[in-house]
Amino acid sequence: RASSRVALINTAKLRAAMNAPEMLSDDERRSIGLALITGVGAPKSATDGRALLAPMAEAGDGVAALAIAEALAIDDPAAAYRLALQAGMSQTAGATRLLDDLEKRLTTGEVLQLQGEGLTPPSDDAFASLSAMRDQAVGYLSGVGNRRSYKQSMFWASLAAATGDAAAARIIA
């Protein structure tokens, strides 16, 4: 018979997370931070969970970024969107869904402004072939493995379509 009980976070580990998080592994910090944010396995404390996960999110941990984004989605959709963009870049499951949900709460101008923050120039490989340009368009459109950017998606799809790529043309149609 399978148990529906949730494993509780060890009290000593929870104390360590609150008082000396650097003494814990990344996996332990992530696990405890997620438990605190959700209230599953530990008493709910979104503030403490965010504080524990924030350094990990800043270092590129997509799971941590997505958890914080989900916690902020109602009260601060712009901050949540920034973190969801980061989670999408690291291909974290659920990031695209959250980006889509948050776009319903933000204006188009806000979305485009947030998407433009932190964009990096493409590598020369992005121009290597039609399929590479189309891949750029799709990546920017989906936000999976790339920072979601509708402007960049349109740019890459236009380049590929101008050279005869029918799939890229459908992106801008």
Side-chain angles (χ1 to χ4, degrees):
R1 181 176 142 206
S3 173
S4 62
R5 297 173 70 177
V6 174
L8 298 176
I9 299 296
N10 175 294
T11 304
K13 294 281 186 185
L14 187 56
R15 277 195 195 105
M18 296 296 94
N19 299 316
E22 67 281 354
M23 302 302 288
L24 301 174
S25 71
D26 284 349
D27 287 340
E28 290 170 320
R29 282 193 304 261
R30 185 181 307 104
S31 173
I32 294 169
L34 293 172
L36 289 167
I37 280 182
T38 63
V40 177
K44 187 168 185 168
S45 176
T47 301
D48 289 335
R50 285 194 313 259
L52 194 58
L53 293 174
M56 298 175 74
E58 290 168 11
D61 185 311
V63 172
L66 185 63
I68 297 170
E70 288 172 335
L72 293 173
I74 300 298
D75 295 331
D76 192 349
Y81 195 81
R82 280 186 190 94
L83 288 159
L85 285 168
Q86 180 181 332
M89 288 175 59
S90 64
Q91 300 182 359
T92 303
T96 300
R97 175 202 45 81
L98 185 57
L99 286 167
D100 292 344
D101 290 347
L102 290 167
E103 286 174 0
K104 296 172 189 168
R105 297 185 189 139
L106 298 165
T107 67
T108 302
E110 289 170 325
V111 167
L112 294 175
Q113 185 263 324
L114 291 166
Q115 289 177 351
E117 294 175 0
L119 281 175
T120 56
S123 69
D124 290 341
D125 293 343
F127 296 93
S129 66
L130 281 178
S131 64
M133 289 187 277
R134 182 185 335 105
D135 289 347
Q136 289 292 313
V138 170
Y140 281 116
L141 181 62
S142 70
V144 176
N146 257 342
R147 183 177 186 88
R148 181 181 272 188
S149 172
Y150 296 137
K151 286 181 179 180
Q152 288 297 309
S153 179
M154 181 66 74
F155 169 79
W156 286 102
S158 296
L159 281 179
T163 57
D165 188 87
R170 284 192 296 275
I171 292 173
I172 58 177

